[in-house]
Amino acid sequence: QDIENHINGKSTSDAIRFWPGKENPNLVGKTFSASEFTSEDMAPFFDANGDGIYNPDDLDYPTIKFTADPSKAAYADEMIFWVINDLGNAHIVPDAQPIGVQINCLAFAYQTSDELNNMTFYTYDIFNKSTDDLTNTYMSQFVDCDLGNYSDDYVGCDTIRNMGFCYNADPDDET
C-alpha cells in the first residue's frame, strides 16, 4: 500500500523515503557516508527518471529487481533488505581471516488467500569486495525446515526455476 500511495502521489512513507537505494539523498551523510552509496547498487528500486540514483522525490520506489521499465517494476506486499558481510566483528567460529564477501539480501512476501500467502521469497546478490580473485568457491544456504514432524523433512531445489522447497518424506505428518 505504501508504494501504491507513493506512485499515486498520496503520501511517501518512511519505508520508501529511507529505502537504502543507491545514493538516496535521505540517507547520504545522515546514516551512511557518501562513499558507501556512491558506487553501490544497494537495495533494488524502480528508477523513474533513469539516472541510476534512488530518490523518492523523483517517484523512485522499492522493487524486487532493479529496473527503469515501469512494466517490469514488480514489488511485493512486504519487502525487507539487508546486507551481510564477513568483515565486521571478530572471526571466532570459524577462526579464519575474512575473505571480503558482501551479500545484499532481499526478502519479500505477498498477502493472498491461497498458498502464496504462506511463502517467503529471498534474493541474494553476492559481491567480492576483496582484491583477491575467488576460485573454486561454493555458496549454499543452511535450511532447517520443520514441516510437521522435524525428523522426516527433506529439502530440494529446482535449478530451472531458481527455487528451493521443503517436503515430507512420508504421507504421515505427525505433530
Side-chain angles (χ1 to χ4, degrees):
Q1 188 62 52
D2 286 350
I3 293 174
E4 290 177 16
N5 287 343
H6 178 70
I7 291 170
N8 295 323
K10 293 180 181 176
S11 64
T12 301
S13 69
D14 282 350
I16 293 174
R17 190 175 323 287
F18 297 109
W19 184 252
K22 183 179 180 182
E23 296 184 46
N24 182 343
N26 297 303
L27 296 176
V28 172
K30 295 175 180 74
T31 306
F32 301 94
S33 68
S35 64
E36 288 179 283
F37 278 89
T38 302
S39 62
E40 298 290 330
D41 286 333
M42 296 290 283
F45 62 92
F46 168 67
D47 190 1
N49 64 4
D51 66 357
I53 296 171
Y54 180 78
N55 187 346
D57 292 339
D58 293 338
L59 293 181
D60 296 345
Y61 56 87
T63 55
I64 295 170
K65 291 288 182 187
F66 292 99
T67 185
D69 180 349
S71 69
K72 296 181 180 176
Y75 53 89
D77 292 307
E78 184 74 28
M79 299 188 311
I80 303 169
F81 177 84
W82 71 99
V83 174
I84 55 179
N85 64 54
D86 67 341
L87 293 177
N89 296 327
H91 279 250
I92 298 169
V93 179
D95 184 20
Q97 293 296 314
I99 58 176
V101 170
Q102 175 178 307
I103 304 172
N104 292 359
C105 311
L106 177 70
F108 57 98
Y110 299 93
Q111 185 174 2
T112 67
S113 58
D114 59 11
E115 295 82 9
L116 195 63
N117 192 60
N118 298 319
M119 299 179 193
T120 56
F121 300 89
Y122 302 86
T123 64
Y124 301 99
D125 293 313
I126 303 170
F127 301 95
N128 179 4
K129 297 292 191 169
S130 75
T131 56
D132 298 325
D133 290 336
L134 299 177
T135 59
N136 298 324
T137 303
Y138 299 89
M139 301 286 176
S140 69
Q141 182 172 343
F142 175 78
V143 177
D144 182 19
C145 296
D146 289 332
L147 184 61
N149 180 0
Y150 71 92
S151 67
D152 68 352
D153 298 334
Y154 289 123
V155 295
C157 66
D158 180 336
T159 58
I160 303 299
R161 295 189 283 180
N162 294 320
M163 179 177 67
F165 51 86
C166 170
Y167 61 98
N168 275 317
D170 59 42
D172 183 24
D173 195 17
E174 304 91 352
T175 58

